[in-house]
Amino acid sequence: MSPPRFSASPRSSTAPPRPGPAAFSRRRLLGLAGALAAGVTLAGCRGGATAVDGRPVLSLGLSSEPAMLKAGADQGAAALLVVSLLHRGLVGYDGRGEITPALASEWHSDEDTVFTFTLRPELTFHDGSPLTSAEAAATLRHLADPANSARVSSALTHLAEVRTPDATTVVVELTEPNAAFLAYLADPSAGMVPAGALSGAPNTVGAGPFRLVAEDNGIGMTLEHFGGYYDAPEVALGGVQIAYYADGTARTNALLSGDVDIIDFVPWENFRTISRRSGYRLAGQSGLVMYLAFNVTRKPFDDPRVRRAVALAVNRDSVVRTVFSGHARPVAGPPVPTVSEYHDTGTADAWAHDPAAARRLLAEAGHPGGFSATLLTTSQYAFHQDTAVSVQSDLERVGIRVTLENPDYATRIQLGNSGDYDLAVNGNGGIVNDPAFLSDFLVGPANYKRSFGYTDERTEELLVEGVRATAAADRKDIYTALQQRIAETVPFAMISDREQAFAHTDRVRGFGNLPGFLTFDSGYTFAGTSLTDQERGR
């Protein structure tokens, strides 16, 4: 295999180093300063603050420093985890991944197009300002505006009106039914925010169980129990102390050495080590997918024959074996999970590995000698970069010579949103487990998750028909046709699913990794998480 070719572009960077002892000292000071500023009692021992006002503090080793948190934006898994701690929407998810009341104590729908939500009384944001139907309506309108590129915008495409009959009632009217509407509103990015946060500026003020009291760029942040949260008495934690560990090995070592109680994005090569270690638990879920996105506004990727050639060139078994240590499954067609009643077996292997067919398609498209392109990845997650290296080798075998560009993850998201790439490695899931999640990959405003510039009228028609349909049989027929259309037009090249895992000590109780695509929403369960008095270090 040829060595990977990395761009010399200034946008490329290496992963940030593991925080050293001085950084940990700064984090302890951060936690202490935040606690003292709030006038609370803080007890300390190994790893920093362990109690605030008698409530234990959870220490989280996070895989990335979140990008600037903007209302409704999709800024990656680390940001979404933090958002799920700071924010709440009208509805949310419980520990089983079922939709549950949140800021709205109840709701009902009429004719599948009108939803009436009743807010809990006397809601407030972290800054003490009131949260009424007016703020909720303003947030929903912001999420629905295509110009804001909100993570849940696809579910609000057909928003007709938001009415506020009184301070605690929000009436949402859609122009047509959407079977997945409530599931999208349960996403953490649909959290309500103060009116001043809708300007596009970064915002951390929400109405969730924890509020931000201190942060240190590149090091971590300290969150504190929010007494104004609607279910505050049931939140056992006094706060969450977050430390950034971009390096997976350093993140795992921080857990095993007792520096943190829980980590996200457990490296796949460490699954067995952690699961066999006494006193630790691995919490994994399957469902997320790795895939290639195309910039279809650039030649030759505007040609579906070239996109199909790329899809056929990828050796998925190699990625599963070498990148994910076997904790994944090849995906060679549309990414509707095999456990779904809507999964179409007829298109499941539409892009199965076939280098000879890939070369024939390239010749047919006018590229018998192949061509050169860039492949965007990121230095911050090793599995992204390792997937890119594996794909680079596969593409070279059919004549496509790619140079890797590997900036930090925040920059990678920006480049994806702006379409500044030829090919890009992506690792994402749907926002919801309903097949309507396919809209997030196929339509709507430009977003790093979807192929830049891709449009297809028939695909859009099928997506709309799918969410309009209420009968399961009708939806199955529609989603089968949609998967056939995806197999034909190749809007992306799926590579594999992957198991996504958190790991924590036995000291952590009540945390849950939500099923399927909802794994990135698992921060919701921190509101029901507690810590035993067991000593953290081992």
Side-chain angles (χ1 to χ4, degrees), residues 106-444:
E106 60 183 14
W107 67 86
H108 66 272
S109 63
D110 300 316
E111 300 178 353
D112 298 319
T113 58
V114 179
F115 295 79
T116 301
F117 300 90
T118 301
L119 298 181
R120 299 176 190 271
E122 300 180 354
L123 292 172
T124 64
F125 291 108
H126 296 159
D127 61 2
S129 61
L131 195 171
T132 69
S133 60
E135 287 72 33
T139 300
L140 291 172
R141 294 185 187 111
H142 176 87
L143 297 175
D145 186 346
N148 296 320
S149 299
R151 177 175 158 89
V152 299
S153 62
S154 61
L156 292 167
T157 300
H158 301 291
L159 179 70
E161 185 181 10
V162 184
R163 301 191 298 275
T164 55
D166 56 55
T168 59
T169 304
V170 181
V171 181
V172 180
E173 183 175 348
L174 306 177
T175 58
E176 55 191 48
N178 186 327
F181 178 67
L182 285 175
Y184 275 89
L185 287 193
D187 189 77
S189 70
M192 302 296 106
V193 298
L198 301 177
S199 64
N203 171 67
T204 59
V205 176
F210 304 99
R211 68 185 185 94
L212 179 69
V213 295
E215 61 180 322
D216 195 356
N217 291 339
I219 304 299
M221 59 176 63
T222 300
L223 311 185
E224 179 185 276
H225 180 277
F226 175 46
Y229 179 58
Y230 66 82
D231 205 18
E234 300 303 314
V235 178
L237 297 176
V240 181
Q241 186 171 314
I242 300 173
Y244 308 140
Y245 292 88
D247 181 78
T249 299
R251 195 161 60 252
T252 300
N253 288 341
L255 174 72
L256 298 180
S257 66
D259 284 327
V260 298
D261 300 304
I262 185 170
I263 61 174
D264 72 332
F265 268 103
V266 178
W268 289 268
E269 63 271 20
N270 295 149
F271 275 28
R272 179 174 297 183
T273 298
I274 293 174
S275 62
R276 291 183 174 181
R277 184 81 168 260
S278 176
Y280 294 87
R281 298 185 182 182
L282 186 76
Q285 290 285 358
S286 294
L288 300 178
V289 288
M290 299 297 296
Y291 59 100
L292 296 177
F294 304 96
N295 185 340
V296 301
T297 68
R298 294 184 180 179
K299 293 184 178 298
F301 300 109
D302 58 335
D303 189 333
R305 293 171 298 182
V306 172
R307 300 197 296 268
R308 178 181 291 274
V310 170
L312 293 172
V314 176
N315 186 338
R316 295 164 180 82
D317 290 332
S318 177
V319 172
V320 168
R321 182 179 64 255
T322 62
V323 179
F324 298 107
S325 301
H327 298 287
R329 181 186 63 86
V331 178
V336 176
T338 56
V339 296
S340 170
E341 61 182 309
Y342 303 106
H343 175 76
D344 176 42
T345 57
T347 56
D349 293 319
W351 309 320
H353 187 221
D354 191 341
R359 284 189 286 270
R360 287 194 298 270
L361 279 170
L362 289 175
E364 180 184 322
H367 305 283
F371 56 87
S372 298
T374 60
L375 176 57
L376 178 63
T377 179
T378 177
S379 62
Q380 204 149 326
Y381 289 108
F383 67 93
H384 274 252
Q385 189 163 280
D386 292 345
T387 298
V389 170
S390 183
V391 167
Q392 180 187 43
S393 177
D394 295 337
L395 295 182
E396 187 164 10
R397 290 189 177 97
V398 300
I400 302 174
R401 300 165 295 279
V402 297
T403 300
L404 305 190
E405 296 190 345
N406 64 327
D408 62 81
Y409 196 59
T411 302
R412 184 260 172 272
I413 291 175
Q414 293 171 3
L415 296 172
N417 287 338
S418 63
D420 193 5
Y421 66 91
D422 294 329
L423 288 163
V425 170
N426 265 332
N428 279 295
I431 294 176
V432 298
N433 282 335
D434 186 279
F437 81 83
L438 287 165
S439 63
D440 305 319
F441 290 82
L442 296 168
V443 300

Side-chain angles (χ1 to χ4, degrees), residues 57-89:
V57 172
L58 181 76
S59 181
L60 165 65
L62 191 62
S63 56
S64 175
E65 179 172 10
M68 292 185 295
L69 303 179
K70 297 182 180 180
D74 188 346
Q75 297 177 288
L80 192 63
L81 179 57
V82 173
V83 165
S84 69
L85 305 179
L86 298 175
H87 294 278
R88 281 297 181 273

Side-chain angles (χ1 to χ4, degrees), residues 94-98 284-287 433 512-520 522:
D94 64 16
R96 300 183 303 277
E98 301 292 334
Q285 290 285 358
S286 294
N433 282 335
N513 190 351
L514 299 188
F517 293 145
L518 304 184
T519 181
F520 288 149
S522 298

